[in-house]
Amino acid sequence: MNGDLMMAFVPVLIAVVVLWRGWRRVESDFVSRWKERFNVDVPPDERSFVVERLERGRRVRAICVAVGLVIAGLPTYMNLIDPALSGSFANPLVGHAWLFAATLGALCAEVLVIQRPRYRKASLVERRSRDYVDQRFVTAVHALGGSTLALAALATALEWWNWEEAWIGVGASAVAVASVHFGVRAILERPAIAVDGAMQDLDDALRSDGAFRVVGAAVALAASGLTTIGIGNAQGMLAIPSLLFGLLAYIGLGLWWTLARDVKWSVRQARSVP
């Protein structure tokens, strides 16, 4: 009983840590790395504006991930309430709930943002998605989605082991693709803060930051969808694809971290390419 209680406490503890990290203040060193990452200057009088925007997005994403982590812990909670029902919640949908939530959180952080233009003046700059995010990863999300759908259909036709769970992966891919589509579109269509000068560059950098976070989370979710494909009983040679799918899921998680925090991008440079 004590062991079950400790296991049930772990998801909640992790969720609390995520919320704590999400509510931390954006420090000067983070802003410095952010400026270098997106090749922009942050004037001293605009620093509070940028910090507020970054903190707002961080908090929305943290809340969503925390909720997803709590949901993912359902099997451990049921061990305390009714162990016989615990297995009913031990499925990929519940297990991947935090990735679903992270993807939707990144989307919400961009869709729900309130953009107030500094000047009521139309921008003549054409915004293209490839100006704000590396299109290779957008393509990867669609490719993973198509692969998961094809494999789920094959698993259903051949009645592979636990083939029904493969369609949870299709759902994950669908959420990932939809998140990228609607997230990037919202980023492109929201009003500009300013149409020229340093604030235009900051506006573009904030759009790019959001786009990379949306696409990064979608890559992780779409890659995890492949792990729901059951191939036989995953023994012998049939275990190799399952191992590859699991490895791809970890690669997706690593790409999510890189795209959300580390990759460098210049909107001005990307926009100069016809």
Side-chain angles (χ1 to χ4, degrees), residues 1 4-15 66-86 89 94:
M1 182 66 178
D4 290 340
L5 184 60
M6 289 297 296
M7 289 298 295
F9 182 69
V10 169
V12 177
L13 177 61
I14 297 175
V67 171
L69 287 167
V70 172
I71 295 173
L74 277 173
T76 62
Y77 313 147
M78 291 307 300
N79 269 336
L80 298 174
I81 301 171
D82 188 348
L85 294 177
S86 178
F89 294 93
V94 175

Side-chain angles (χ1 to χ4, degrees), residues 76-265:
T76 62
Y77 313 147
M78 291 307 300
N79 269 336
L80 298 174
I81 301 171
D82 188 348
L85 294 177
S86 178
S88 302
F89 294 93
N91 58 66
L93 180 60
V94 175
H96 292 136
W98 70 281
L99 280 174
F100 278 95
T103 304
L104 294 175
L107 173 64
C108 289
E110 301 308 316
V111 171
L112 301 180
V113 68
I114 300 175
Q115 196 84 357
R116 295 184 176 88
R118 295 288 180 88
Y119 313 105
R120 295 294 177 179
K121 183 178 179 181
S123 174
L124 300 179
V125 176
E126 177 187 4
R127 300 194 190 99
R128 307 170 301 181
S129 62
R130 67 174 183 265
D131 295 338
Y132 296 96
V133 66
D134 193 327
Q135 293 299 290
R136 293 176 297 177
F137 299 102
V138 174
T139 302
V141 172
H142 288 87
L144 288 167
S147 300
T148 303
L149 177 60
L151 287 169
L154 184 60
T156 304
L158 299 181
E159 295 187 347
W160 284 344
W161 177 71
N162 283 350
W163 61 266
E164 300 95 335
E165 292 185 354
W167 292 96
I168 297 176
V170 174
S173 296
V175 170
V177 171
S179 178
V180 169
H181 173 74
F182 290 109
V184 172
R185 189 173 75 175
I187 289 168
L188 296 179
E189 293 181 353
R190 70 190 185 201
I193 300 171
V195 296
D196 53 27
M199 282 307 298
Q200 182 188 22
D201 293 337
L202 286 177
D203 181 38
D204 284 336
L206 288 166
R207 292 174 195 266
S208 184
D209 179 64
F212 272 103
R213 290 184 182 279
V214 168
V215 172
V219 167
L221 179 61
S224 73
L226 285 173
T227 63
T228 65
I229 307 295
I231 300 179
N233 59 359
Q235 295 179 0
M237 292 298 293
L238 290 176
I240 295 177
S242 294
L243 290 173
L244 291 176
F245 294 160
L247 177 61
L248 188 60
Y250 283 110
I251 292 174
L253 290 173
L255 286 173
W256 176 20
W257 179 271
T258 300
L259 293 173
R261 295 179 59 91
D262 297 330
V263 67
K264 293 185 178 181
W265 191 261

